[in-house]
């Protein structure tokens, strides 16, 4: 049996949440080893030391973020390419069905409103965040009378969300794994929370459902690996992750 390792990789802000899930997954015995790897600005250089201690015959890497960014599509794969062993790079956890449950839990814990605003970072260059947010919005319409999406870096913009809502009372859920500058300052400011009428939920990342989402990502990557077929969740243009077993591209 190959020795399997799981790396939960993300920005420094997600370290506390990543460690929680790592502990749960260790206890569950999903793989032989579970570790976390975080960075501030430059994944390729900052992850070098952390990843130098990671080993395994098969290594699964799961980005701890809502949706792909330039970092997860380019910089993180370059950092992972130095690993020895067979590297299986999964998509970010954000589009997993289990995440819908995590978002619902945060919304219900924060408010009794029947209107929901999902706020993601977004990206003017691609639709990864929009695709994931739209997926959850469609599923959550079974639980809320009104569901809208908004973004910090693309349209529809967060600052317009208040004015597009039909309901007088809503709850806004930031689609982020853990607290960061965007969830603490930018989103509350642009939603004008001080005016009332919109309750504000915590990021979804600490929810137990996220542990399940990570486990599903690994199990799917494992199954596709055993079948020798490419997973649709693998990053198509992350060539450096497809190593030869010695960490070389």
């Amino acid at each position: 049996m190959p020795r399997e390792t799981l790396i939960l990789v993300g920005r420094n802000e997600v370290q506390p949440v990543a460690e929680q899930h790592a502990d749960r997954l260790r206890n569950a015995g999903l793989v032989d080893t579970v570790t976390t790897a975080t960075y501030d600005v430059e994944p390729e250089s900052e992850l070098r030391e952390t990843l130098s201690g990671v080993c395994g015959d098969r290594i699964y890497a799961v980005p701890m973020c809502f949706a792909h960014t330039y970092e997860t599509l380019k910089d993180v794969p370059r950092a992972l390419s130095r690993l020895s062993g067979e590297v299986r790079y999964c998509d970010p956890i954000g589009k997993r069905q289990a995440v819908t449950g995590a978002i619902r839990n945060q919304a219900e814990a924060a408010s009794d409103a029947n209107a929901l605003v999902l706020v993601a970072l977004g990206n003017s260059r691609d639709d990864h965040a929009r695709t994931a947010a739209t997926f959850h919005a469609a599923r959550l319409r079974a639980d809320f009378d009104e569901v809208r999406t908004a973004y910090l870096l693309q349209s529809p913009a967060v600052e317009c969300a208040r004015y597009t809502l039909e309901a007088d009372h809503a709850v806004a859920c930031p689609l982020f794994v853990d607290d960061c500058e965007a969830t603490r300052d930018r989103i509350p400011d642009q939603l004008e929370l001080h005016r009332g009428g919109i309750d504000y939920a915590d990021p979804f990342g600490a929810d137990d459902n996220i542990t399940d989402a990570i486990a599903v990502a690994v199990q799917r990557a494992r199954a596709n690996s055993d079948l020798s077929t490419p997973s649709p969740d693998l990053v198509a243009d992350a060539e450096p992750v497809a190593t030869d077993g010695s960490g070389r591209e």
Side-chain angles (χ1 to χ4, degrees), residues 34-35 46 64 92 117 129 134 137 157 161 188-189 200 227 229 233 242:
V34 183
T35 189
E46 293 175 38
M64 293 294 291
V117 181
T134 301
D189 287 348
Y200 192 52
L227 292 170
T229 58
D233 282 343

Side-chain angles (χ1 to χ4, degrees), residues 130-167:
R130 185 192 298 276
T131 298
T134 301
F135 169 78
H136 295 298
R139 301 187 77 223
L140 288 163
R141 288 192 175 96
D143 303 290
F144 295 87
D145 294 338
E146 183 179 3
V147 181
R148 296 188 181 275
T149 58
Y151 307 92
L152 284 171
L153 299 180
Q154 64 187 111
S155 296
V158 180
E159 57 264 34
C160 299
R162 174 181 290 274
Y163 305 100
T164 60
L165 282 166
E166 296 179 7

Side-chain angles (χ1 to χ4, degrees), residues 164-176:
T164 60
L165 282 166
E166 296 179 7
D168 295 327
H169 184 203
V171 57
C173 288
L175 300 182
F176 289 75

Side-chain angles (χ1 to χ4, degrees), residues 17-30 34 205-212:
V17 165
E19 290 292 351
Q20 290 180 33
H21 296 299
D23 285 342
R24 294 172 188 166
L25 293 163
R26 290 184 193 107
N27 293 333
L30 179 69
V34 183
D207 194 279
D208 289 350
N209 281 291
I210 303 307
T211 308
D212 296 336

Side-chain angles (χ1 to χ4, degrees), residues 3-22:
R3 182 169 181 81
E4 296 186 320
T5 295
L6 168 61
I7 306 171
L8 304 182
V9 59
R11 282 187 167 265
N12 289 341
E13 293 93 341
V14 306
Q15 178 74 27
V17 165
E19 290 292 351
Q20 290 180 33
H21 296 299

Side-chain angles (χ1 to χ4, degrees), residues 77-78 80-83 85-89 234-249:
R78 291 191 187 105
L80 295 171
S81 71
R82 298 190 180 91
L83 291 168
E86 176 192 352
V87 180
R88 294 278 164 173
Y89 188 46
L234 298 183
V235 181
D237 57 353
E239 293 90 348
V241 177
T243 67
D244 66 354
S246 302
R248 296 188 296 271
E249 297 179 26

